């Protein structure tokens, strides 16, 4: 009897031991399988998200290409309608950059038609059906390249006051003049040097012009010193371009031009178009240089010394504000505006009673003093010469546009930058217009 009891106890102990081993084996198996399962789940999620992103990428690219085709329609509208003499005589000077944000937003966003409705004062809600459907959207930004400073004009030297190199140099100097940019020229650069504004101007001109003499940024002409910038002594050596640039980004190769300088000023520069200032799109700095060149002798003092900042620049800013919805059709229109700017202020903004409102005078638009400019330059028998608007400025319809398309589909965001010439004659197909520059980011 005792033997049977001992055997029963022994069997129960063995059974418990076997149960413990089974649990241990299960835990070991789970420990081995868990990393594989977690890795499989993670990879599955990554592949799933990658597939979604790839689909969004394809849709974003398709939306981007569609926006480019719509942009070509805008350019054709500019070339075939806005640039025609009959339209300009009837409706005045207009440019597609004035309407592009409103027209393209109809197709780019679901509520884009509301902006156009607010502009024209009509109910345009029915146009919302033209917008993209499927979670995507795009935004279009359009700029006229003739409103920027063409740095390639630094390669053109002419005798006299009407020198593209001298005018562009002075405009670049005025662009960098505000004290806001002092830190860019006071801080030490990565090469351990500090470069002032004149050194930057000098280095840019010497990099683009085709001679080997150092440019004098004060006298605005070549000096007798040789160019010595040490580009060929760098770890990755290169030569000065000594020719026109293909892209503004090439200025990165110029001594004293770094990422901070490019971030501050590259948006105002271009390598396309002519050297005359288009008054319909030019910046205040460019317009100020036009005023300085074409001003009459009686008002020349308004463009000299400190008066350039106190009188010329405010008048240039007033011109930019005044042309927002009304472009210049001829140079005489610009002459009339700068001569008597007070006559071009909205009369409704002048009504009111200052006795009832103490802030009335402070809220009135500040109109700068006008100045007389000449349309045509010339000279007299004594050899004295004077400049005119025709020498340095134009109001011709725009030809080259910079297009920026920002597309968003899901978590994918793409940016396209392109430059289009609406008058470029095609060789292999009929019609005009071609893309000069194209980049996707």
């Amino acid at each position: 009897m005792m033997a049977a009891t001992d055997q029963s106890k022994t069997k129960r102990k063995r059974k418990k031991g076997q149960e413990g081993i089974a649990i241990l084996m299960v835990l070991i198996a789970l420990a081995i399988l868990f990393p594989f399962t977690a890795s499989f789940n993670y990879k599955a999620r990554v592949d799933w998200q990658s597939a979604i992103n790839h689909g969004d990428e394809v849709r974003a690219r398709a939306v981007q290409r569609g926006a480019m085709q719509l942009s070509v329609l805008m350019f054709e509208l500019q070339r075939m309608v806005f640039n025609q003499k009959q339209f300009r005589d009837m409706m005045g000077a207009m440019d597609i950059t004035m309407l592009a944000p409103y027209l393209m937003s109809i197709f780019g966003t679901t509520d884009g038609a509301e902006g156009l409705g607010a502009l024209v004062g009509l109910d345009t809600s029915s146009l919302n059906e033209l917008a993209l459907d499927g979670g995507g959207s795009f935004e279009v930004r359009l700029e006229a390249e003739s409103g920027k400073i063409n740095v390639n004009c630094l390669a053109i030297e002419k005798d006299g006051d009407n020198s593209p190199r001298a005018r562009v140099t002075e405009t670049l100097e005025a662009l960098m003049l505000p004290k806001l940019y002092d830190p860019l020229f006071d801080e030490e650069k990565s090469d351990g040097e500090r470069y002032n504004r004149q050194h930057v101007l000098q280095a840019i001109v010497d990099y683009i012009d085709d001679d080997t003499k150092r440019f004098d940024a004060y006298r605005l002409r070549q000096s007798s010193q040789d160019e010595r910038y040490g580009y060929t002594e760098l770890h990755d050596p290169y030569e000065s371009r000594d020719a026109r640039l293909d892209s503004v980004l090439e200025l990165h190769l110029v001594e004293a031009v770094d990422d901070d300088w490019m971030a501050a000023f590259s948006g105002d520069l271009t390598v396309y178009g002519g050297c005359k200032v288009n008054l319909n799109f030019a910046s205040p700095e460019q317009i100020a240089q036009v005023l300085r060149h074409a001003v009459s002798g009686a008002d020349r003092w308004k463009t000299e010394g400190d008066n350039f900042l106190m009188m010329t620049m405010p008048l240039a800013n007033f011109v930019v504000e005044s042309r927002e919805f009304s472009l210049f059709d001829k140079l005489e229109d610009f002459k009339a505006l700068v001569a008597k700017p007070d006559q071009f202020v909205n009369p409704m903004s002048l009504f009111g009673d200052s006795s009832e409102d103490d802030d009335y005078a402070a809220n009135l638009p500040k109109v700068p003093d006008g100045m007389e400019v000449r349309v045509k330059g010339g000279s007299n028998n004594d050899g004295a010469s004077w400049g005119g608007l025709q020498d340095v400025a134009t109001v011709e319809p725009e030809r080259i546009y910079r297009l920026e398309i920002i597309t968003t589909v899901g978590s994918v965001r793409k940016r396209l930058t392109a430059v289009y010439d609406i008058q470029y004659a095609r060789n292999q197909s009929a019609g005009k217009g071609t893309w000069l520059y194209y980049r996707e980011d």
Side-chain angles (χ1 to χ4, degrees):
M1 189 68 182
M2 291 295 296
T5 302
D6 293 340
Q7 291 178 356
S8 176
K9 291 180 178 180
T10 302
K11 289 180 179 180
R12 286 196 297 270
K13 290 180 179 181
R14 290 177 179 176
K15 187 175 182 180
K16 291 181 178 179
Q18 292 175 352
E19 291 176 352
I21 293 175
I23 294 174
L24 180 61
M25 293 297 293
V26 170
L27 293 177
I28 293 175
L30 290 175
I32 295 174
L33 292 175
F34 180 77
F36 290 99
T37 303
S39 177
F40 175 79
N41 290 336
Y42 175 76
K43 189 175 184 301
R45 289 195 302 271
V46 170
D47 292 342
W48 176 72
Q49 188 62 48
S50 178
I52 293 177
N53 291 342
H54 180 71
D56 292 342
E57 179 84 14
V58 173
R59 287 193 292 271
R61 187 177 294 272
V63 170
Q64 196 175 69
R65 297 299 173 86
M68 285 189 66
Q69 296 302 318
L70 287 173
S71 301
V72 173
L73 291 178
M74 287 197 307
F75 298 141
E76 287 299 302
L77 176 64
Q78 175 68 38
R79 187 174 66 88
M80 300 297 294
V81 180
F82 292 169
N83 285 0
Q84 298 302 313
K85 185 178 183 303
Q86 296 87 343
F87 180 88
R88 294 171 68 89
D89 292 341
M90 181 180 300
M91 303 296 296
M94 292 183 61
D95 190 81
I96 195 62
T97 55
M98 303 167 65
L99 302 175
Y102 304 100
L103 294 178
M104 297 298 288
S105 63
I106 296 176
F107 306 95
T109 57
T110 55
D111 58 349
E114 297 178 1
L116 180 62
L119 177 67
V120 300
L122 299 174
D123 182 13
T124 57
S125 58
S126 59
L127 297 178
N128 287 331
E129 298 179 0
L130 298 176
L132 286 174
D133 188 14
S137 64
F138 67 86
E139 177 185 356
V140 174
R141 301 172 184 173
L142 194 62
E143 293 180 303
E145 284 294 280
S146 64
K148 301 179 181 180
I149 304 171
N150 188 351
V151 293
N152 280 335
C153 295
L154 294 172
I156 303 175
E157 175 65 20
K158 294 181 180 179
D159 295 332
D161 296 333
N162 187 20
S163 170
R165 178 181 298 174
R167 292 202 315 271
V168 172
T169 302
E170 289 180 328
T171 306
L172 287 174
E173 184 179 15
L175 184 67
M176 297 185 293
L177 188 60
K179 292 185 176 297
L180 171 69
Y181 302 118
D182 284 351
L184 293 177
F185 307 101
D186 294 338
E187 65 183 6
E188 185 177 291
K189 303 300 181 181
S190 58
D191 57 359
E193 299 291 338
R194 289 183 173 87
Y195 302 101
N196 57 28
R197 290 171 171 84
Q198 283 69 32
H199 187 100
V200 174
L201 288 172
Q202 175 181 288
I204 293 176
V205 175
D206 289 337
Y207 186 83
I208 297 176
D209 63 18
D210 58 357
D211 56 59
T212 59
K213 297 299 181 181
R214 190 181 290 268
F215 181 76
D216 190 334
Y218 292 99
R219 298 181 180 180
L220 300 179
R221 61 172 182 262
Q222 301 305 120
S223 66
S224 59
Q225 300 179 354
D226 294 331
E227 296 180 7
R228 295 180 181 178
Y229 291 96
Y231 297 134
T232 58
E233 301 173 3
L234 299 175
H235 177 72
D236 188 9
Y238 57 90
E239 298 282 350
S240 297
R241 181 61 183 257
D242 294 333
R244 300 192 177 195
L245 307 182
D246 293 327
S247 171
V248 173
L249 296 178
E250 293 185 50
L251 290 176
H252 274 294
L253 300 175
V254 178
E255 181 181 85
V257 175
D258 57 5
D259 291 339
D260 294 335
W261 192 94
M262 291 292 290
F265 305 112
S266 63
D268 297 309
L269 309 179
T270 185
V271 295
Y272 302 102
C275 294
K276 285 191 175 183
V277 175
N278 194 323
L279 299 175
N280 283 327
F281 308 102
S283 64
E285 289 79 12
Q286 291 177 286
I287 294 177
Q289 296 302 328
V290 170
L291 294 173
R292 172 184 283 179
H293 175 85
V295 67
S296 65
D299 287 339
R300 183 168 299 278
W301 63 275
K302 297 180 180 180
T303 65
E304 297 175 343
D306 294 338
N307 290 331
F308 180 80
L309 293 177
M310 301 298 295
M311 304 185 73
T312 306
M313 285 302 301
L315 182 57
N317 283 291
F318 180 83
V319 171
V320 173
E321 296 173 0
S322 299
R323 74 181 185 203
E324 183 175 358
F325 295 105
S326 178
L327 302 182
F328 301 113
D329 189 41
K330 50 187 180 297
L331 293 176
E332 286 75 9
D333 296 339
F334 176 83
K335 176 182 178 180
L337 173 62
V338 299
K340 298 180 179 180
D342 56 317
Q343 295 186 2
F344 292 84
V345 178
N346 185 358
M348 298 302 297
S349 63
L350 301 178
F351 294 157
D353 186 0
S354 58
S355 61
E356 297 179 357
D357 187 0
D358 295 337
D359 296 331
Y360 172 74
N363 294 330
L364 282 176
K366 188 175 182 179
V367 182
D369 292 335
M371 63 177 66
E372 181 184 358
V373 295
R374 301 183 178 97
V375 175
K376 296 181 179 180
S379 59
N380 55 27
N381 296 330
D382 297 334
S385 61
W386 58 86
L389 295 177
Q390 289 182 347
D391 301 332
V392 298
T394 180
V395 290
E396 292 295 321
E398 179 59 25
R399 170 173 177 168
I400 302 176
Y401 294 90
R402 179 173 294 271
L403 176 72
E404 185 177 11
I405 301 175
I406 303 173
T407 307
T408 303
V409 178
S411 59
V412 175
R413 184 178 176 88
K414 296 181 67 65
R415 182 188 302 269
L416 181 147
T417 304
V419 177
Y420 191 85
D421 185 349
I422 67 175
Q423 296 293 348
Y424 188 91
R426 304 171 188 165
N427 294 329
Q428 300 179 354
S429 62
K432 296 182 178 180
T434 189
W435 298 101
L436 303 179
Y437 177 84
Y438 180 92
R439 175 176 176 173
E440 290 186 17
D441 297 317

